[in-house]
Structures are given as structure tokens and as C-alpha cells.
Amino acid sequence: MQLYSYFRSSASYRVRIALAWKRLDHDYLPVHLPRNEHHARGFAELTPHQQVPVLQDGDQVLTQSLAIIEYLEETHPMPPLLPADAAGRARVRALALNVACDIHPPANLRVLRYLLHDLNVGEERKDQWCLHWVQQGLQAMERQLARHPATGRYCHGNQPTLADVFLVPQMFNAQRIGCPLDALPTVRRITDACLQLPAFADAQPSACPDAA
């Protein structure tokens, strides 16, 4: 397997966690987004959307972090990242999609670049935009997790799931942009518990080859 990744990309971070959790060997191929390496011809031919992560598994070229992780779950089911019951799987997927569809997209690099360079909103307004959507989304996650009886040591029970794989990278981004975290005790507790596990700790941006 080959993973095309950028160390600060939260979507790539998700896949790195999943690969580590399932103990799958892979080659790490850095794609530096601020240097526009994702627009280089070779990478653009690999994925028309010109985004990371991309996972190449033999002849299969896989894009979109959720699809990649679901592929890994189906092809390498142990240890699992989804609960055994249908209701549990639905809850875990919903929590993951809260990150993937609601929190992450407004703060994506290409969105922020468009705001800054095409709409000329200015650096301060761009940062306000980013902070607003991340903070609002994480506060909703806090309410979901704090109120639900299925929340345990992790987002769903006492084993990490797909929901944790999505939450931890989003918290990294939140900390990086200076998002206030005091009102997120459950989210912070779960994130801290995850980072005690090697699969999560070893996938952190600071551990990536391109972080230097």
C-alpha cells in the first residue's frame, strides 16, 4: 500500500490512524499542499480532485478518507472500527460524518484560500470564519457525546471506532487555530484517551516524515 498524505491534513490523519490501528504496512508519500504539490501532473492524474489522502492498494486507487477507511474495514476487519450492531454503526457513522461533512469542509485549505485570495475577505475575517465553524461543530459534538448513554471511554463504548478516528484529527486542527476548548470536556477527555493509544499517537502530524 502507498499513502499519499500531507502531515497537517486532517483527512490524511484519519487514514493514518486507521492504517496504524489495523497494523497495515504502507509507504508514506508526502504531498505538500501549501506548495501546491497536489496540482502537479503526476498526482493530478492519480486523482482528478487533486486532494489528499489517496491510498493505492495494488491496482486500486482510493480517495476520500471515509471511503478509504470503510475499504480498510471491509478488507481488513480486525481489529474493527465499527460496532457489531446496526444501531451502533449508524451512531458511529453519524458522529464521523459530523466531522467530515459539517466541521471540516468550511475550514479546508482550498476554501480558506478562496476566501482570502478570491473574495478578499482579509486574514482576520478568514480566521473568524474558520474559528466559527470549527467551534460551532465541536460544541454540537460535545452535546451529542455528553448526552448519549453509549458514550464511554471513547465516542462509542470502550473501544475506539470510526468516530474517534475522525474526532482526534479535528481536535488537532482546532488546537492549531486557537479554538477555545474549555466548553468541550467530553470531547477533550475522549481525545486524551485516544492519544494514549499507539495507533493514534504514532499517526500524529509531528510524527510524519514531512513534518520536519
Side-chain angles (χ1 to χ4, degrees), residues 7-184:
F7 75 105
R8 280 186 180 156
S9 160
S10 60
S12 298
Y13 191 175
R14 301 164 193 162
V15 176
R16 295 197 303 266
I17 294 171
L19 288 166
W21 179 253
K22 292 180 177 294
R23 303 181 186 89
L24 296 174
D25 292 332
H26 61 281
D27 297 322
Y28 184 99
L29 302 176
V31 179
H32 201 288
L33 301 186
R35 296 175 189 161
N36 295 315
E37 291 180 359
H38 52 305
H39 296 314
R41 176 175 295 180
F43 187 75
E45 291 173 352
L46 194 66
T47 168
H49 295 287
Q50 300 175 31
Q51 299 177 41
V52 293
V54 174
L55 184 72
Q56 191 157 8
D57 185 16
D59 294 333
Q60 301 295 322
V61 177
L62 307 164
T63 61
Q64 295 294 341
S65 61
L66 182 59
I68 293 171
I69 296 170
E70 292 263 17
Y71 169 84
L72 296 176
E73 182 74 0
E74 293 176 10
T75 56
H76 301 83
M78 299 303 292
L81 282 170
L82 286 169
D85 63 298
R89 291 194 299 273
R91 178 174 184 259
V92 163
R93 286 186 172 112
L95 289 167
L97 286 167
N98 286 342
V99 175
C101 297
D102 294 336
I103 306 175
H104 177 240
N108 188 276
L109 177 62
R110 62 179 182 166
V111 172
L112 299 181
R113 279 180 166 178
Y114 182 75
L115 289 171
L116 190 62
H117 301 301
D118 294 81
L119 299 185
N120 299 310
V121 300
E123 194 75 36
E124 184 178 351
R125 296 294 298 277
K126 182 263 292 181
D127 291 344
Q128 288 175 350
W129 163 279
C130 185
L131 191 61
H132 169 79
W133 294 113
V134 171
Q135 187 171 13
Q136 185 182 81
L138 286 175
Q139 287 173 348
M141 288 281 286
E142 173 67 27
R143 293 191 295 271
Q144 283 181 292
L145 291 167
R147 296 173 181 175
H148 203 287
T151 301
R153 178 171 174 80
Y154 304 103
C155 286
H156 189 80
N158 295 317
Q159 293 294 326
T161 65
L162 185 71
D164 303 285
V165 170
F166 276 67
L167 177 62
V168 169
Q170 187 57 62
M171 281 293 283
F172 165 78
N173 274 355
Q175 291 173 308
R176 189 164 65 88
I177 66 172
C179 181
L181 304 178
D182 290 346
L184 307 172

